[in-house]
């Protein structure tokens, strides 16, 4: 009897995938791990609006900014894992940040789905004339003092890895957020830095040059520039935007939410998709469920190893 | 020079250009709303421009959002309020001898006697004429000085100099504000200290949060400022009303005889007086921390000294009204000089302008705004220019629009304002309190915002009761995060030199000045 | 009048403030900072260079407070002849009573804001009008979502008018109600994505 029931359920799932398996009891709170007005916020809010339009679920976005989503996550992990409190942050929040935190661990969360990916790149001011990492090295060898703008421990470690691979010395300047790194570059407080995606207008305006991509493939703004891996530096600083919940969320809730998000982002007319195509090109990245969970766990271990190797 | 005009032109058109390129009058309309609100608020005793700006900011942000498109409407409205309030404050001062805003206090000296003699309309029109003209004068000073200072500063200042500049402005502010500079400076340090609660930069997790993860991003800015500047003042006023069992605003406000209009001959005769007052106001306003009241006092004294009949002052001479109103209004534009060129706020109105800019969009004040990047148009791509500079000229444009509304609608509104002074403060204050708390809750993360506002209100209350000026506390609170980044950056970039701030001659001079100011404060404290 | 009465007492407030600041600094340096700041005054970064840590700036700030506080204390203890130290106001028992009233009133209003919503949901459930699983499920449904705000806000305004004027007339009550409804209109009906209390804290 039970077997027949499960089979029936499986069949009906196949037959009508759009039929809602699960519906929230009241509103869903979507905690955005970044401040209002930024790219993450806009993405989260348009997504919330479209989920509401698609399913009739009431989604209430709230901003809980700070420390790349960790401030939000520290509050999220104590919530009920009923799918009605969700977090929106980046994978770095879960696969790197917990290393330095007493109260966060990658095990504390359910990973629902990713939405989009970063465009991590090494940047320099156009007027410096540097076009590649070789130019950077040449300048350093010629005695120019290099100050590298970083917004967090992970990217600072990445900068150090690049510097060691090129056999040059850099001073690291810690800035407030990705925008802070750009400001440091523009106001000449630093001469090289990272950009995760906010650099787009400045690169397009010809103010900044992209020297290399820190993703696994070239960045959309400068497809001709190599990745770090192309030039023999084993480093991938790319990250994805991710929807999470507290640990222990039932699989059917997790998968249902991921399915709704996928349905929206796969629709070419979706406002969120269009935003992602423009801001985080070329297209949405949808990894979800167990696959996403193992991605986070593997990257976390790789990051722990990277930091240990650096400390030696 | 061509480039400058190109940018000015772009700035002006940017105000009228909607997000899709079409014509929009929204910013112009919001400026008008702001000016009218400002005039009204200014005329209500117990309310002032910064009060209204503080409450309007969270509401405006809720309406227009945080995107780049929201900047002009929100900022336009705030600028309108700021300018409108300087005008409105004079009306109840003249008609009922109860100044609507603190800086209109001196206007009562000659304005009220004028009204008592049956020249109320003349007095109000004098106030309006000199106030708006003084304001325009200081706007002109702003338009010229801000870019000039920014360009100079950006060329010569590195990390250590920028740090030293902030330290110097804080010392200066503590020295000039209030009668107790030592405590003012302590307040400034305390303000800086509390702003450090929450996020840290070295990736080791939030600091000083006492175990509350909600504080991980620092104390919510708007709520904190709302609490310490506005709510604390509300509490102090409520207590004073309660203890004195009187309600200043419900005084025997009989509307005096309005009398004849102000003639153009009379207006022309006022021009030299206005010019003197406006110059004093502009000069005072461009220095951080010295307020409108000081400007008005200085201007009144100097007008009295320059007058052939100094004994007539205080008996109802238009020259007295001209002196105070032109000076206190000229402060508002000039106050934006340090804001726009350096990002350092000098008074409470400027604090809210900075808060608005920090909350909304990508634009930020600072010397980088005034880089005249050559404008290049690339076929099939985009135009390369300094968008911040366009925004700066857009802001200037909105100030001119606000002046226009002040000339036209402001004058009309002032004529019919007399009745407003009758709203009792004892009802007004609780309502302000409720609106402020709601705004703190809705904008700043729920009860965290509300509690922050409450705690800061208590801090502000104690500071006010102890006669310690609030401004250094607020400015310290706003500037400390920037200062920390600068100091840490300068220290690291110097290779860990403990005397990193003393290596550059410019920084050294600024720090020496700070020390001199400190020494002066100490001497003053021992003398008094 | 009142100011003159203050002058005499004023000085001791300088003393207490100075000593209070010194105590606060000591507390920061010995208890708060060591427990609540992740990295020290200086720290080694990844390159092995010593850079300022998260405690760097806080220690600098409280450090600067010390000489100022000492000056404040000394200018009070050994004033020059004819001098009485920096001018200072004072916070007396009357002020404290007022503050306690303010805090109690605000606290009560907030409690009412939190309790009214669930109470209304419980009542309508009992009456069979609704079938919510709790206030959380109803927190995006009008009028449940604003019930707490209306009740608490009403109490807050009325309470503070009573506190300020020492009386509460019918007109005052109507003003309070009008203001609260006005706020509901602005924040809940005209604006989207804005949470009135207590809906952002569920």
């Amino acid at each position: 009897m039970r077997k027949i029931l499960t089979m029936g359920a499986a069949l009906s799932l196949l037959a009508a995938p759009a039929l809602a398996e699960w519906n929230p009891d009241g509103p869903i709170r979507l905690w955005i791990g970044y401040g209002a007005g930024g790219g993450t916020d806009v993405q989260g809010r348009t997504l919330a609006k479209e989920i509401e339009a698609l399913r009739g679920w009431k989604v209430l976005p709230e901003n809980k900014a700070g420390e790349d989503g960790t401030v939000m996550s520290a509050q999220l992990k104590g919530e009920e894992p009923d799918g009605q409190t969700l977090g929106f942050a980046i994978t770095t929040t879960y696969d790197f940040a917990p290393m330095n935190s007493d109260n966060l661990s990658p095990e504390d969360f359910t990973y629902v789905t990713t939405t989009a990916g970063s465009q991590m790149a090494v940047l320099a001011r156009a007027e410096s004339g540097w076009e590649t990492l070789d130019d950077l090295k040449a300048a350093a060898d010629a005695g120019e003092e290099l100050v590298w703008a970083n917004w967090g421990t992970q990217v600072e470690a990445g900068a150090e890895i690049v510097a060691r691979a090129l056999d040059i010395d850099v001073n690291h300047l810690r800035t407030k957020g990705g925008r802070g790194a750009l400001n440091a570059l523009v106001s000449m407080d630093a001469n090289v830095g990272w950009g995760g995606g906010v650099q787009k207008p400045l690169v397009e305006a010809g103010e900044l040059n992209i020297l290399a991509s820190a993703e696994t493939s070239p960045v959309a703004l400068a497809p001709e520039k190599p990745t770090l891996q192309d030039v023999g530096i084993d480093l991938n600083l790319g990250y994805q935007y991710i929807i999470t919940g507290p640990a222990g969320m039932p699989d059917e809730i997790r998968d249902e939410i991921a399915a709704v998000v996928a349905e929206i982002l796969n629709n070419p007319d979706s406002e969120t998709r269009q935003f992602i195509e423009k801001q985080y090109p070329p297209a949405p990245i949808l990894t979800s469920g167990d696959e996403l969970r193992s991605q986070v766990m593997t990257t976390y271990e790789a990051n722990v190893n990277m930091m240990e190797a650096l400390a030696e | 020079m061509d480039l400058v005009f190109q940018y000015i032109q772009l700035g002006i058109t940017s105000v009228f250009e909607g997000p899709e390129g079409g014509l929009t009058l929204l910013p112009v309309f919001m400026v008008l709303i702001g000016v009218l609100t400002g005039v009204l608020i200014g005329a209500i005793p117990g309310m002032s421009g910064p009060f209204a700006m503080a409450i309007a900011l969270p509401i405006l942000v809720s309406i227009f959002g945080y995107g780049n498109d929201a900047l002009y409407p929100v900022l336009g409205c705030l600028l309108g309020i700021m300018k409108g309030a300087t005008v409105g404050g004079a009306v109840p001062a003249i008609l009922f001898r109860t100044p609507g805003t603190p800086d209109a206090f001196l206007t009562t000296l000659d304005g009220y006697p004028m009204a008592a003699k049956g020249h109320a309309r003349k007095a109000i029109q004098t106030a309006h004429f000199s106030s708006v003209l003084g304001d325009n004068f200081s706007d002109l000073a702003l338009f010229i000085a801000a870019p000039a200072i920014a360009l100079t500063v950006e060329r010569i200042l590195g990390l250590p100099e920028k740090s030293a500049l902030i330290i110097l402005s804080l010392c200066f502010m503590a020295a000039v504000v209030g009668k107790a500079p030592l405590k003012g400076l302590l307040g400034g340090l305390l303000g800086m200290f509390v702003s450090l609660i929450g996020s840290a930069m070295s990736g080791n997790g939030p600091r000083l949060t006492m175990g509350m993860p909600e504080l991980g991003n620092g104390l919510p800015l708007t709520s904190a400022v709302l609490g310490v500047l506005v709510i604390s003042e509300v509490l102090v006023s409520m207590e004073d009303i309660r203890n004195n069992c009187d309600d200043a605003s419900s005084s025997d406000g009989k509307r005096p005889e309005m009398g004849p209009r102000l003639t153009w001959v009379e207006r022309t005769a006022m021009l030299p007086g206005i010019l003197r007052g406006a110059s004093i106001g502009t000069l005072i306003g461009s220095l951080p921390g010295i307020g409108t009241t000081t400007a008005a006092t200085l201007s009144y004294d100097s007008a009295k000294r320059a007058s052939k009949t100094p004994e007539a002052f205080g008996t109802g001479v238009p020259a007295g009204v001209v002196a105070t109103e032109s000076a206190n209004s000229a402060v508002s534009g000039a106050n934006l000089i340090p804001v726009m060129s350096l990002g350092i706020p000098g008074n409470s109105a400027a604090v809210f302008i900075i808060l608005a800019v920090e909350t909304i969009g990508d634009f930020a004040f600072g010397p980088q705004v005034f880089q005249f990047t050559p404008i290049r148009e690339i076929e099939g791509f985009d135009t390369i220019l300094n968008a911040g500079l366009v925004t700066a000229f857009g802001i200037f444009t909105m100030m001119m629009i606000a002046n226009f509304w002040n000339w036209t609608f402001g004058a009309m509104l002032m004529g019919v304002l007399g009745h407003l002074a009758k709203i009792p403060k004892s009802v007004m204050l609780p309502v302000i309190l409720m609106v402020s708390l709601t705004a703190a809750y809705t904008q700043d993360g729920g009860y965290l915002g509300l509690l922050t506002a409450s705690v800061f209100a208590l801090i502000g209350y104690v500071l006010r009761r102890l006669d310690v000026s609030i401004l250094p506390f607020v400015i310290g609170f706003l500037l400390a995060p920037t200062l920390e980044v600068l100091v840490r950056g300068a220290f690291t970039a110097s290779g860990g030199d403990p005397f990193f701030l003393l290596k550059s001659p410019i920084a050294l001079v600024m720090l020496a000045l700070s020390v001199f100011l400190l020494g002066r404060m100490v001497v003053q404290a021992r003398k008094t | 009048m009142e100011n003159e009465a203050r002058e005499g007492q004023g000085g001791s407030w300088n003393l207490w403030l100075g000593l209070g600041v010194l105590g606060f600094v000591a507390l920061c340096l010995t208890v708060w900072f060591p427990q609540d700041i992740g990295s020290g005054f200086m720290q080694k970064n990844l390159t092995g260079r010593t850079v300022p840590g998260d405690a760097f700036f806080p220690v600098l700030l409280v450090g600067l407070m010390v000489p100022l506080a000492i000056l404040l204390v000394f200018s009070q203890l050994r004033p020059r002849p004819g001098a009485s130290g920096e001018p200072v106001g004072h916070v007396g028992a009357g002020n404290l009573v007022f503050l306690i009233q303010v805090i109690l009133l605000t606290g009560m209003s907030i409690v009412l804001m939190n309790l009214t919503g669930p109470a209304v949901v419980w009542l309508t459930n009992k009456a069979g009008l609704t079938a919510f699983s709790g206030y959380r499920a109803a927190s995006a449904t009008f009028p449940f979502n604003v019930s707490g705000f209306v009740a608490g806000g009403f109490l807050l305004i009325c309470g503070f008018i009573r506190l300020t004027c020492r009386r509460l007339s019918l007109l005052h009550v109507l003003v309070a109600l009008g203001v609260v409804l006005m706020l509901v209109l602005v924040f809940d009906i005209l604006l989207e994505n804005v949470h009135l209390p207590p809906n952002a804290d569920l």
Side-chain angles (χ1 to χ4, degrees), chain C residues 120-192:
Chain C
V120 171
V121 168
W122 183 81
L123 276 176
T124 53
N125 276 350
K126 273 278 164 200
L129 296 170
T130 54
F132 288 114
S133 60
Y135 179 67
R136 198 183 144 88
S139 62
T141 314
F142 189 84
F144 301 98
N145 56 345
V146 299
S147 56
F149 177 75
V150 171
F154 180 68
L155 174 68
L156 189 91
I157 301 182
C158 288
F160 273 101
I161 292 182
R162 172 76 182 69
L163 190 65
T164 313
C165 309
R166 294 172 188 268
R167 67 192 176 87
L168 189 67
S169 68
L170 183 65
L171 185 66
H172 291 155
V173 173
L174 290 179
V175 166
L177 200 63
V179 169
V180 174
L181 292 180
M182 188 70 185
L183 286 173
V184 167
L185 181 74
V186 171
F187 283 103
D188 193 68
I189 296 173
L190 296 183
L191 300 177
E192 274 178 60

Side-chain angles (χ1 to χ4, degrees), chain A:
Chain A
M1 185 66 194
R2 171 178 261 177
K3 204 172 175 183
I4 298 171
L5 269 181
T6 359
M7 267 178 68
L11 270 180
S12 71
L13 199 75
L14 281 177
L19 196 76
E21 274 280 289
W22 165 81
N23 273 306
D25 175 26
I28 295 179
R29 291 185 155 72
L30 180 65
W31 290 357
I32 298 168
Y34 289 83
T40 325
D41 180 54
V42 174
Q43 201 194 137
R45 281 177 191 272
T46 24
L47 188 62
K49 216 168 58 189
E50 291 193 314
I51 293 177
E52 207 169 312
L54 185 68
R55 278 298 159 84
W57 300 347
K58 183 97 191 147
V59 184
L60 307 172
E62 283 170 41
N63 295 95
K64 293 186 185 291
E67 305 252 323
D68 264 337
T70 50
V71 171
M72 177 275 288
S73 301
Q75 296 168 66
L76 179 67
K77 72 168 193 178
E79 292 294 308
E80 209 46 48
D82 56 4
Q84 289 185 229
T85 312
L86 300 174
F88 189 52
I90 60 175
T91 44
T92 317
T93 316
Y94 307 99
D95 65 22
F96 186 90
M99 225 184 291
N100 299 307
S101 163
D102 308 331
N103 60 357
L104 282 187
S105 139
E107 303 284 347
D108 289 338
F109 303 93
T110 303
Y111 302 100
V112 179
T113 181
T114 59
T115 60
S118 59
Q119 292 282 305
M120 261 311 255
V122 183
L123 305 171
R125 260 193 315 284
E127 61 179 31
S128 68
W130 306 336
E131 292 282 345
T132 62
L133 289 178
D134 291 334
D135 295 341
L136 183 71
K137 180 172 166 55
D141 290 342
E144 182 151 355
E145 195 168 329
L146 295 185
V147 179
W148 198 309
N150 311 295
W151 59 79
T153 312
Q154 187 195 24
V155 293
E156 185 168 319
E160 187 56 25
I161 289 173
V162 174
R164 286 187 195 179
L166 295 175
D167 193 26
I168 54 174
D169 259 338
V170 298
N171 281 320
H172 297 286
L173 179 69
R174 190 59 77 87
T175 64
K176 280 230 148 156
R179 200 170 296 284
L182 285 192
N183 286 344
L185 269 177
V186 173
S187 67
M188 300 166 75
D189 290 333
N191 39 24
V192 54
W194 294 111
V198 277
Q199 70 270 25
K200 194 172 176 235
L202 285 167
V203 173
E204 284 178 344
E207 283 284 318
L208 299 178
N209 278 346
I210 290 178
L211 305 188
S213 156
E215 305 275 340
T216 48
S217 58
V219 289
L221 275 177
E224 75 287 358
K225 294 293 166 67
T227 66
L228 290 174
Q229 286 161 347
D230 289 341
V231 297
I233 303 169
D234 185 19
L235 183 67
N236 169 20
L237 289 179
Y239 54 86
Q240 289 95 46
Y241 293 87
I242 187 174
I243 297 178
T244 59
M249 189 192 298
D251 283 358
E252 64 264 24
I253 298 182
R254 180 192 71 180
D255 296 343
E256 180 63 26
I257 297 170
V260 173
V261 173
E263 193 180 333
I264 289 167
L265 294 186
N266 283 327
N267 175 4
D269 295 329
S270 139
E271 202 182 322
T272 321
R273 185 188 168 98
Q274 284 165 1
F275 176 78
I276 288 172
E277 281 170 352
K278 200 176 118 222
Q279 199 82 12
Y280 313 102
I285 298 174
L286 289 158
T287 317
S288 58
D290 293 327
E291 191 193 342
L292 176 57
R293 183 182 168 80
S294 65
Q295 178 202 316
V296 171
M297 295 301 165
T298 332
T299 321
Y300 180 68
E301 258 168 55
N303 280 332
V304 171
N305 292 337
M306 173 182 92
M307 293 306 283
E308 274 169 5
L310 258 185
E312 273 163 21

Side-chain angles (χ1 to χ4, degrees), chain B residues 32-301:
Chain B
L32 176 60
I33 299 265
V35 167
L36 295 183
T37 316
V39 176
L40 284 175
I41 295 289
I44 300 175
M47 292 286 281
S48 65
F51 254 60
M53 291 166 82
I55 296 165
L57 175 60
I59 298 176
L60 288 169
V61 166
S62 306
I63 296 174
F64 292 103
Y66 297 88
N68 282 326
D69 298 339
L71 187 66
Y72 279 175
V74 175
L75 211 54
C77 189
L78 292 184
L79 288 169
I81 294 178
M82 182 176 93
K83 285 170 167 292
T86 58
V87 174
V91 177
I94 290 168
L95 292 182
F96 311 116
R97 203 157 46 176
T98 51
T101 47
D103 49 275
F105 173 71
L106 284 166
T107 308
T108 57
L109 295 186
D110 281 287
Y112 184 69
M114 267 179 90
K117 283 191 257 174
H119 293 294
R121 190 186 306 277
K122 216 169 240 187
I124 289 178
Q125 286 181 334
T126 304
H128 177 257
F129 184 67
S130 40
S131 181
V132 181
L133 212 54
D135 191 15
N136 292 6
F137 177 86
S138 96
D139 282 354
L140 282 184
L142 165 72
F143 299 166
I144 296 162
I149 292 175
L151 286 178
T152 327
V153 159
E154 185 66 355
R155 208 153 291 158
I156 57 171
L157 297 197
L159 291 173
E161 292 88 358
K162 285 179 194 161
S163 318
L165 181 64
I166 292 185
I167 295 172
L168 175 60
S169 0
L170 282 171
C171 287
F172 182 78
M173 219 163 322
V176 295
V177 172
K179 291 171 292 183
L182 273 185
K183 289 193 288 289
L185 204 57
L186 269 174
L189 286 171
L190 185 68
M192 293 172 93
F193 177 74
V194 289
S195 82
L196 301 181
I197 288 177
S199 62
M201 297 163 67
S202 58
N204 291 313
R207 65 183 155 182
L208 302 173
T209 57
M210 296 166 281
M212 287 180 270
E214 290 83 2
L215 285 180
N217 196 37
L219 294 162
L221 214 59
T222 312
S223 301
V225 175
L226 201 60
V228 77
L229 272 182
V230 173
I231 302 181
S232 71
E233 171 68 33
V234 168
L235 290 182
V236 167
S237 310
M238 284 203 296
E239 193 185 11
D240 288 346
I241 293 178
R242 179 178 163 80
N243 290 343
N244 297 334
C245 290
D246 76 343
D247 207 336
S249 48
S250 61
S251 59
D252 53 328
K254 229 201 271 159
R255 219 179 146 92
E257 202 57 36
M258 290 311 279
R261 297 179 160 277
L262 193 64
T263 64
W264 282 103
V265 178
E266 286 171 302
R267 284 180 202 245
T268 321
M270 286 170 190
L271 287 178
I274 293 176
L275 193 66
R276 180 175 45 232
S279 309
I280 292 174
T282 305
L283 211 64
I284 296 287
S286 60
L287 299 168
I290 317 181
T292 42
T293 316
T294 317
T297 317
L298 275 179
S299 173
Y300 191 79
D301 286 349

Side-chain angles (χ1 to χ4, degrees), chain B residues 433-517:
Chain B
L433 183 76
M434 178 66 199
V435 178
S436 308
L437 288 177
T438 311
Y441 185 95
T442 52
Q443 209 208 334
D444 271 345
Y447 282 127
L448 177 66
L450 200 153
L451 280 180
T452 306
S454 309
V455 171
F456 272 71
L458 289 184
I459 295 178
Y461 176 89
V462 172
L463 289 180
R464 280 180 204 274
R465 280 288 175 226
L466 293 179
D467 290 342
V468 183
S469 83
I470 302 268
L471 209 53
F473 180 89
V474 180
I475 313 279
F477 181 76
L478 282 180
L479 289 182
T482 317
L483 185 59
E484 178 173 26
V485 174
L486 288 173
V487 167
R488 275 165 87 152
F491 186 84
T492 313
S494 73
D497 188 332
F499 299 105
F500 63 105
L501 281 183
L502 307 178
K503 280 291 152 75
S504 117
I506 299 176
L508 199 63
V509 169
M510 290 197 258
L511 288 176
L513 265 175
S514 314
V515 172
F516 167 75
L517 285 172

